[in-house]
Amino acid sequence: MENQDILTKDIDETRQGEALEMAAKGGEGKKLYIESYGCQMNFSDSEIIASVLIDEGFETTKNLEEADVVFVNTCAIRDNAEQRVRGRLDIFRKAKKANPDMVIGVMGCMAERLKTKLLEEEKIVDIVVGPDSYRDLPNLVRVAETGQKAVNVLLSREETYADINPVRLGGNGVTAFISITRGCDNMCSFCVVPFTRGRERSRDPKTIVEEARQLFESGYREVTLLGQNVDSYLWGGGGLKKDILAKGDLTGTVNFAELLVMVAEVDPDLRVRFSTSHPKDMTDEVLHAMAKYENICSYIHLPVQSGNTRVLDIMNRGYSREWYLKRIEKIREIVPDCGISTDIITGFCTETEEEHQDTLTLMQLVKYDFAYMFKYSERPGTLAARKFEDDIPEEVKGRRLSEVIDIQMQNSLESNRKDLGKVHRVLVEGTSRKSEEKLQGRNPQNKVIVFPRENYKVGDYVNVFVDDCTSATLIGTAVK
Ligand code: 5AD
Ligand code: SF4
């Protein structure tokens, strides 16, 4: 999620046509350029941002030089994510020299974290907008156009953008994200997200199902339900989850397993994925829904962070090593073909060599199909930053990270080798990056599969016999 490249994408022609019809609005004839960094939620948010501004008459562009408004949707999760954004601001500075009327806005988690400080540190920034204030963008752009700085970093307890129909930015027309919750109430001690994205709230399930239906009707074949912690999704007709629970009234509520089923029932040909699951909240009910519905993909991203109970405890994760391993056993029991991936942090405050070894042994026990692996990066204001010293030297964090990566490389290769000699159902997402003659897509376990194009096309479901692999890709041929 972190390792996504710059994304700057255009809207399709129909929406551009609509934009022209709304010529009387404030964005008439103006061009918007957006780059997104960070998690899938950020990419999904950029589609909401584009939608808000297209309703104002803006058109999107892929060309920075011709943009009137340049937005960068940012990530604050690790220091290097923020440094990357600052590097982009240097590039924008050059573009603005050539076009002094250009308005430059920073949105998302880094905007929320730094607030007006960002205006002091980066003089070229005109607009700073947090993740809950995107409806205010037309107004903020108008202020910035008069030469003033515009800031809105208010966080909300209610905003879910439920009624906004996201503009699908430059995707493949087959797979799309749908946000189902915003914010996070978990307070993992290393994490800045509760501070940048605010309190957790769930979106009205009717609007989620309707969005999935519309996507299916316009040719999409896969949706990924997004939230910082999807398992804590709970809709009770409004208000915060805790308010509902406090009233002891769960009648008429919809939990995550029920929501999954509602979306899966839109059509058997619509694949459903979800991310991210939290080990402490993932229920057997969700696993049973996955086992029952073929179109709910057998794949769970279940971040473990560390394999040691003491470290998990000071991370405030809410589970032990043993609990986590039991949840893995349960997944294997109820959804035997399930793909499992994880997130791992090395060198968290006070982590000893033995505790690091526990992460390695846990990886060997679970045999993840895939993992995102990071060195701990202290984030100002988090519980860990306030309570613990960031005492593991950079080179030790780095060495531990390479040990984690080495094990994962072996495990990914092993996992892919197990898939050889089998037929996989692939939803075709596009042309292979390496060859025009080949198509690529994913199996339900989220593995990328490449095969000769023949007469297949994007959006088809194809049965592919896999007979070769690398640690990253399965390779095969279509079978009838
Ligand atoms: N340092 C390093 N990695 C972090 N993550 C979250 N906060 C930090 C941090 N301060 C990782 C976690 C999380 C993923 C999205 O990013 O592994 O699951
Ligand atoms: Fe996404 Fe914000 Fe987390 Fe970055 S810090 S991964 S943008 S939620």
Side-chain angles (χ1 to χ4, degrees), residues 1-2 77-78 190-192 301 303 305 317 343-345 372 374-379:
M1 292 175 276
E2 269 302 300
I77 201 136
R78 281 169 292 277
F190 51 78
C191 190
V192 77
H301 181 60
Q305 313 298 359
R317 289 290 289 175
D343 292 345
I344 290 173
I345 298 177
Y372 297 92
F374 316 102
K375 281 191 281 188
Y376 172 60
S377 160
E378 184 177 78
R379 310 310 294 132

PDB file of all heavy atoms in Angstrom, residues 1-2 77-78 190-192 301 303 305 317 343-345 372 374-379, ligand 1:
ATOM      1  N   MET A   1       0.843  -1.196   0.000  1.00  0.00           N
ATOM      2  CA  MET A   1       0.000   0.000   0.000  1.00  0.00           C
ATOM      3  C   MET A   1       0.875   1.241   0.000  1.00  0.00           C
ATOM      4  O   MET A   1       0.607   2.202  -0.680  1.00  0.00           O
ATOM      5  CB  MET A   1      -0.875   0.004   1.235  1.00  0.00           C
ATOM      6  CG  MET A   1      -1.887  -1.081   1.167  1.00  0.00           C
ATOM      7  SD  MET A   1      -2.817  -1.167   2.671  1.00  0.00           S
ATOM      8  CE  MET A   1      -1.769  -2.149   3.656  1.00  0.00           C
ATOM      9  N   GLU A   2       1.934   1.122   0.811  1.00  0.00           N
ATOM     10  CA  GLU A   2       2.823   2.253   0.892  1.00  0.00           C
ATOM     11  C   GLU A   2       3.631   2.438  -0.384  1.00  0.00           C
ATOM     12  O   GLU A   2       4.047   3.526  -0.706  1.00  0.00           O
ATOM     13  CB  GLU A   2       3.832   1.987   2.011  1.00  0.00           C
ATOM     14  CG  GLU A   2       3.356   2.510   3.313  1.00  0.00           C
ATOM     15  CD  GLU A   2       3.096   3.963   3.222  1.00  0.00           C
ATOM     16  OE1 GLU A   2       4.043   4.680   2.909  1.00  0.00           O
ATOM     17  OE2 GLU A   2       1.978   4.397   3.433  1.00  0.00           O
ATOM     18  N   ILE A  77       2.461   8.425   7.661  1.00  0.00           N
ATOM     19  CA  ILE A  77       2.638   7.236   8.512  1.00  0.00           C
ATOM     20  C   ILE A  77       4.083   6.998   8.923  1.00  0.00           C
ATOM     21  O   ILE A  77       4.348   6.546  10.022  1.00  0.00           O
ATOM     22  CB  ILE A  77       2.006   6.004   7.846  1.00  0.00           C
ATOM     23  CG1 ILE A  77       1.711   4.942   8.884  1.00  0.00           C
ATOM     24  CG2 ILE A  77       2.857   5.451   6.722  1.00  0.00           C
ATOM     25  CD1 ILE A  77       0.394   4.316   8.734  1.00  0.00           C
ATOM     26  N   ARG A  78       5.014   7.292   8.016  1.00  0.00           N
ATOM     27  CA  ARG A  78       6.448   7.226   8.363  1.00  0.00           C
ATOM     28  C   ARG A  78       7.110   8.496   7.864  1.00  0.00           C
ATOM     29  O   ARG A  78       6.619   9.134   6.937  1.00  0.00           O
ATOM     30  CB  ARG A  78       7.109   5.999   7.704  1.00  0.00           C
ATOM     31  CG  ARG A  78       6.841   4.696   8.438  1.00  0.00           C
ATOM     32  CD  ARG A  78       7.282   3.503   7.623  1.00  0.00           C
ATOM     33  NE  ARG A  78       6.438   3.363   6.451  1.00  0.00           N
ATOM     34  CZ  ARG A  78       5.260   2.758   6.428  1.00  0.00           C
ATOM     35  NH1 ARG A  78       4.785   2.203   7.522  1.00  0.00           N
ATOM     36  NH2 ARG A  78       4.540   2.710   5.346  1.00  0.00           N
ATOM     37  N   PHE A 190       2.318   3.207  18.001  1.00  0.00           N
ATOM     38  CA  PHE A 190       3.246   3.741  16.984  1.00  0.00           C
ATOM     39  C   PHE A 190       2.554   4.605  15.946  1.00  0.00           C
ATOM     40  O   PHE A 190       3.213   5.242  15.131  1.00  0.00           O
ATOM     41  CB  PHE A 190       3.951   2.570  16.268  1.00  0.00           C
ATOM     42  CG  PHE A 190       3.001   1.516  15.740  1.00  0.00           C
ATOM     43  CD1 PHE A 190       2.290   1.729  14.569  1.00  0.00           C
ATOM     44  CD2 PHE A 190       2.812   0.325  16.435  1.00  0.00           C
ATOM     45  CE1 PHE A 190       1.400   0.783  14.094  1.00  0.00           C
ATOM     46  CE2 PHE A 190       1.926  -0.634  15.960  1.00  0.00           C
ATOM     47  CZ  PHE A 190       1.219  -0.395  14.781  1.00  0.00           C
ATOM     48  N   CYS A 191       1.237   4.622  15.925  1.00  0.00           N
ATOM     49  CA  CYS A 191       0.518   5.074  14.731  1.00  0.00           C
ATOM     50  C   CYS A 191      -0.059   6.481  14.834  1.00  0.00           C
ATOM     51  O   CYS A 191      -0.692   6.861  15.816  1.00  0.00           O
ATOM     52  CB  CYS A 191      -0.600   4.094  14.419  1.00  0.00           C
ATOM     53  SG  CYS A 191      -1.334   4.438  12.819  1.00  0.00           S
ATOM     54  N   VAL A 192       0.108   7.231  13.770  1.00  0.00           N
ATOM     55  CA  VAL A 192      -0.331   8.619  13.735  1.00  0.00           C
ATOM     56  C   VAL A 192      -1.778   8.735  13.216  1.00  0.00           C
ATOM     57  O   VAL A 192      -2.415   9.785  13.358  1.00  0.00           O
ATOM     58  CB  VAL A 192       0.661   9.428  12.857  1.00  0.00           C
ATOM     59  CG1 VAL A 192       0.438   9.192  11.387  1.00  0.00           C
ATOM     60  CG2 VAL A 192       0.619  10.903  13.170  1.00  0.00           C
ATOM     61  N   HIS A 301      -5.748  -9.562   4.714  1.00  0.00           N
ATOM     62  CA  HIS A 301      -4.545  -8.821   5.120  1.00  0.00           C
ATOM     63  C   HIS A 301      -4.667  -8.607   6.622  1.00  0.00           C
ATOM     64  O   HIS A 301      -5.540  -7.866   7.070  1.00  0.00           O
ATOM     65  CB  HIS A 301      -4.474  -7.487   4.374  1.00  0.00           C
ATOM     66  CG  HIS A 301      -3.252  -6.711   4.729  1.00  0.00           C
ATOM     67  ND1 HIS A 301      -1.988  -7.189   4.513  1.00  0.00           N
ATOM     68  CD2 HIS A 301      -3.090  -5.501   5.314  1.00  0.00           C
ATOM     69  CE1 HIS A 301      -1.100  -6.304   4.934  1.00  0.00           C
ATOM     70  NE2 HIS A 301      -1.737  -5.272   5.431  1.00  0.00           N
ATOM     71  N   PRO A 303      -2.449  -7.575   9.614  1.00  0.00           N
ATOM     72  CA  PRO A 303      -1.174  -7.086  10.148  1.00  0.00           C
ATOM     73  C   PRO A 303      -0.877  -7.634  11.541  1.00  0.00           C
ATOM     74  O   PRO A 303      -1.720  -7.538  12.425  1.00  0.00           O
ATOM     75  CB  PRO A 303      -1.376  -5.568  10.205  1.00  0.00           C
ATOM     76  CG  PRO A 303      -2.406  -5.291   9.167  1.00  0.00           C
ATOM     77  CD  PRO A 303      -3.336  -6.477   9.229  1.00  0.00           C
ATOM     78  N   GLN A 305       2.417  -6.957  13.016  1.00  0.00           N
ATOM     79  CA  GLN A 305       3.345  -5.925  13.517  1.00  0.00           C
ATOM     80  C   GLN A 305       4.559  -6.506  14.232  1.00  0.00           C
ATOM     81  O   GLN A 305       5.680  -6.101  13.967  1.00  0.00           O
ATOM     82  CB  GLN A 305       2.653  -4.894  14.437  1.00  0.00           C
ATOM     83  CG  GLN A 305       1.337  -4.331  13.938  1.00  0.00           C
ATOM     84  CD  GLN A 305       1.414  -3.546  12.622  1.00  0.00           C
ATOM     85  OE1 GLN A 305       2.473  -3.397  12.050  1.00  0.00           O
ATOM     86  NE2 GLN A 305       0.274  -3.089  12.133  1.00  0.00           N
ATOM     87  N   ARG A 317      -1.623  -3.328  20.783  1.00  0.00           N
ATOM     88  CA  ARG A 317      -2.332  -4.008  19.703  1.00  0.00           C
ATOM     89  C   ARG A 317      -3.549  -4.788  20.206  1.00  0.00           C
ATOM     90  O   ARG A 317      -4.398  -5.180  19.412  1.00  0.00           O
ATOM     91  CB  ARG A 317      -1.390  -4.946  18.953  1.00  0.00           C
ATOM     92  CG  ARG A 317      -0.367  -4.226  18.113  1.00  0.00           C
ATOM     93  CD  ARG A 317      -1.010  -3.552  16.911  1.00  0.00           C
ATOM     94  NE  ARG A 317      -1.448  -4.504  15.912  1.00  0.00           N
ATOM     95  CZ  ARG A 317      -2.129  -4.170  14.810  1.00  0.00           C
ATOM     96  NH1 ARG A 317      -2.455  -2.893  14.594  1.00  0.00           N
ATOM     97  NH2 ARG A 317      -2.496  -5.066  13.939  1.00  0.00           N
ATOM     98  N   ASP A 343       1.535  -6.941   7.892  1.00  0.00           N
ATOM     99  CA  ASP A 343       2.461  -5.814   8.030  1.00  0.00           C
ATOM    100  C   ASP A 343       3.368  -6.119   9.211  1.00  0.00           C
ATOM    101  O   ASP A 343       2.894  -6.636  10.237  1.00  0.00           O
ATOM    102  CB  ASP A 343       1.721  -4.510   8.369  1.00  0.00           C
ATOM    103  CG  ASP A 343       0.856  -3.990   7.232  1.00  0.00           C
ATOM    104  OD1 ASP A 343       1.025  -4.453   6.093  1.00  0.00           O
ATOM    105  OD2 ASP A 343       0.005  -3.118   7.504  1.00  0.00           O
ATOM    106  N   ILE A 344       4.648  -5.780   9.083  1.00  0.00           N
ATOM    107  CA  ILE A 344       5.599  -6.013  10.172  1.00  0.00           C
ATOM    108  C   ILE A 344       6.451  -4.760  10.380  1.00  0.00           C
ATOM    109  O   ILE A 344       6.881  -4.127   9.415  1.00  0.00           O
ATOM    110  CB  ILE A 344       6.498  -7.223   9.856  1.00  0.00           C
ATOM    111  CG1 ILE A 344       5.656  -8.501   9.939  1.00  0.00           C
ATOM    112  CG2 ILE A 344       7.710  -7.300  10.787  1.00  0.00           C
ATOM    113  CD1 ILE A 344       6.359  -9.750   9.491  1.00  0.00           C
ATOM    114  N   ILE A 345       6.653  -4.427  11.665  1.00  0.00           N
ATOM    115  CA  ILE A 345       7.537  -3.291  12.003  1.00  0.00           C
ATOM    116  C   ILE A 345       8.759  -3.843  12.731  1.00  0.00           C
ATOM    117  O   ILE A 345       8.606  -4.617  13.684  1.00  0.00           O
ATOM    118  CB  ILE A 345       6.808  -2.288  12.924  1.00  0.00           C
ATOM    119  CG1 ILE A 345       5.583  -1.697  12.210  1.00  0.00           C
ATOM    120  CG2 ILE A 345       7.759  -1.184  13.367  1.00  0.00           C
ATOM    121  CD1 ILE A 345       4.766  -0.738  13.075  1.00  0.00           C
ATOM    122  N   TYR A 372       4.103  -6.547   3.962  1.00  0.00           N
ATOM    123  CA  TYR A 372       4.648  -5.191   3.892  1.00  0.00           C
ATOM    124  C   TYR A 372       5.499  -5.032   5.140  1.00  0.00           C
ATOM    125  O   TYR A 372       5.004  -5.234   6.250  1.00  0.00           O
ATOM    126  CB  TYR A 372       3.535  -4.142   3.904  1.00  0.00           C
ATOM    127  CG  TYR A 372       2.614  -4.204   2.725  1.00  0.00           C
ATOM    128  CD1 TYR A 372       1.449  -4.970   2.776  1.00  0.00           C
ATOM    129  CD2 TYR A 372       2.896  -3.511   1.553  1.00  0.00           C
ATOM    130  CE1 TYR A 372       0.594  -5.043   1.690  1.00  0.00           C
ATOM    131  CE2 TYR A 372       2.049  -3.577   0.464  1.00  0.00           C
ATOM    132  CZ  TYR A 372       0.899  -4.344   0.536  1.00  0.00           C
ATOM    133  OH  TYR A 372       0.059  -4.412  -0.543  1.00  0.00           O
ATOM    134  N   PHE A 374       8.435  -2.810   7.481  1.00  0.00           N
ATOM    135  CA  PHE A 374       8.924  -1.448   7.704  1.00  0.00           C
ATOM    136  C   PHE A 374       9.850  -1.374   8.903  1.00  0.00           C
ATOM    137  O   PHE A 374       9.684  -2.130   9.854  1.00  0.00           O
ATOM    138  CB  PHE A 374       7.745  -0.503   8.000  1.00  0.00           C
ATOM    139  CG  PHE A 374       6.561  -0.675   7.107  1.00  0.00           C
ATOM    140  CD1 PHE A 374       5.429  -1.368   7.545  1.00  0.00           C
ATOM    141  CD2 PHE A 374       6.573  -0.159   5.826  1.00  0.00           C
ATOM    142  CE1 PHE A 374       4.323  -1.522   6.717  1.00  0.00           C
ATOM    143  CE2 PHE A 374       5.479  -0.313   4.996  1.00  0.00           C
ATOM    144  CZ  PHE A 374       4.356  -0.993   5.441  1.00  0.00           C
ATOM    145  N   LYS A 375      10.755  -0.386   8.866  1.00  0.00           N
ATOM    146  CA  LYS A 375      11.511  -0.013  10.068  1.00  0.00           C
ATOM    147  C   LYS A 375      10.638   0.931  10.868  1.00  0.00           C
ATOM    148  O   LYS A 375       9.961   1.783  10.282  1.00  0.00           O
ATOM    149  CB  LYS A 375      12.776   0.773   9.673  1.00  0.00           C
ATOM    150  CG  LYS A 375      13.899  -0.076   9.187  1.00  0.00           C
ATOM    151  CD  LYS A 375      15.175   0.752   9.096  1.00  0.00           C
ATOM    152  CE  LYS A 375      15.206   1.607   7.854  1.00  0.00           C
ATOM    153  NZ  LYS A 375      16.478   2.290   7.620  1.00  0.00           N
ATOM    154  N   TYR A 376      10.682   0.832  12.184  1.00  0.00           N
ATOM    155  CA  TYR A 376       9.906   1.751  13.002  1.00  0.00           C
ATOM    156  C   TYR A 376      10.379   3.189  12.766  1.00  0.00           C
ATOM    157  O   TYR A 376      11.572   3.466  12.735  1.00  0.00           O
ATOM    158  CB  TYR A 376      10.047   1.393  14.492  1.00  0.00           C
ATOM    159  CG  TYR A 376       9.419   2.424  15.393  1.00  0.00           C
ATOM    160  CD1 TYR A 376       8.061   2.715  15.295  1.00  0.00           C
ATOM    161  CD2 TYR A 376      10.180   3.125  16.326  1.00  0.00           C
ATOM    162  CE1 TYR A 376       7.486   3.685  16.106  1.00  0.00           C
ATOM    163  CE2 TYR A 376       9.611   4.089  17.149  1.00  0.00           C
ATOM    164  CZ  TYR A 376       8.253   4.360  17.022  1.00  0.00           C
ATOM    165  OH  TYR A 376       7.679   5.314  17.815  1.00  0.00           O
ATOM    166  N   SER A 377       9.410   4.075  12.602  1.00  0.00           N
ATOM    167  CA  SER A 377       9.702   5.493  12.413  1.00  0.00           C
ATOM    168  C   SER A 377       8.863   6.271  13.433  1.00  0.00           C
ATOM    169  O   SER A 377       7.631   6.209  13.401  1.00  0.00           O
ATOM    170  CB  SER A 377       9.309   5.852  10.967  1.00  0.00           C
ATOM    171  OG  SER A 377       9.117   7.228  10.803  1.00  0.00           O
ATOM    172  N   GLU A 378       9.537   6.946  14.346  1.00  0.00           N
ATOM    173  CA  GLU A 378       8.796   7.638  15.411  1.00  0.00           C
ATOM    174  C   GLU A 378       7.987   8.790  14.839  1.00  0.00           C
ATOM    175  O   GLU A 378       8.503   9.593  14.059  1.00  0.00           O
ATOM    176  CB  GLU A 378       9.769   8.177  16.451  1.00  0.00           C
ATOM    177  CG  GLU A 378       9.045   8.809  17.626  1.00  0.00           C
ATOM    178  CD  GLU A 378      10.019   9.285  18.686  1.00  0.00           C
ATOM    179  OE1 GLU A 378      10.641  10.353  18.495  1.00  0.00           O
ATOM    180  OE2 GLU A 378      10.178   8.590  19.694  1.00  0.00           O
ATOM    181  N   ARG A 379       6.707   8.859  15.214  1.00  0.00           N
ATOM    182  CA  ARG A 379       5.848   9.932  14.740  1.00  0.00           C
ATOM    183  C   ARG A 379       5.479  10.850  15.898  1.00  0.00           C
ATOM    184  O   ARG A 379       4.939  10.380  16.915  1.00  0.00           O
ATOM    185  CB  ARG A 379       4.550   9.381  14.100  1.00  0.00           C
ATOM    186  CG  ARG A 379       4.759   8.321  13.073  1.00  0.00           C
ATOM    187  CD  ARG A 379       5.794   8.671  11.982  1.00  0.00           C
ATOM    188  NE  ARG A 379       5.400   9.766  11.116  1.00  0.00           N
ATOM    189  CZ  ARG A 379       6.194  10.800  10.804  1.00  0.00           C
ATOM    190  NH1 ARG A 379       7.407  10.911  11.308  1.00  0.00           N
ATOM    191  NH2 ARG A 379       5.772  11.736   9.990  1.00  0.00           N
TER     192      ARG A 379
HETATM  193  N1  5AD B   1       6.606   3.257  11.766  1.00  0.00           N
HETATM  194  C1  5AD B   1       6.702   2.228  10.900  1.00  0.00           C
HETATM  195  N2  5AD B   1       5.644   1.610  10.377  1.00  0.00           N
HETATM  196  C2  5AD B   1       4.410   2.036  10.753  1.00  0.00           C
HETATM  197  N3  5AD B   1       3.171   1.621  10.403  1.00  0.00           N
HETATM  198  C3  5AD B   1       2.282   2.407  11.028  1.00  0.00           C
HETATM  199  N4  5AD B   1       2.906   3.326  11.777  1.00  0.00           N
HETATM  200  C4  5AD B   1       4.231   3.120  11.622  1.00  0.00           C
HETATM  201  C5  5AD B   1       5.399   3.734  12.155  1.00  0.00           C
HETATM  202  N5  5AD B   1       5.310   4.742  13.021  1.00  0.00           N
HETATM  203  C6  5AD B   1       2.918   0.473   9.524  1.00  0.00           C
HETATM  204  C7  5AD B   1       2.117  -0.594  10.246  1.00  0.00           C
HETATM  205  C8  5AD B   1       0.776  -0.459   9.609  1.00  0.00           C
HETATM  206  C9  5AD B   1       1.119  -0.012   8.220  1.00  0.00           C
HETATM  207  C10 5AD B   1      -0.001   0.608   7.445  1.00  0.00           C
HETATM  208  O1  5AD B   1       2.159   0.894   8.413  1.00  0.00           O
HETATM  209  O2  5AD B   1       2.695  -1.839   9.958  1.00  0.00           O
HETATM  210  O3  5AD B   1       0.035  -1.656   9.634  1.00  0.00           O
END
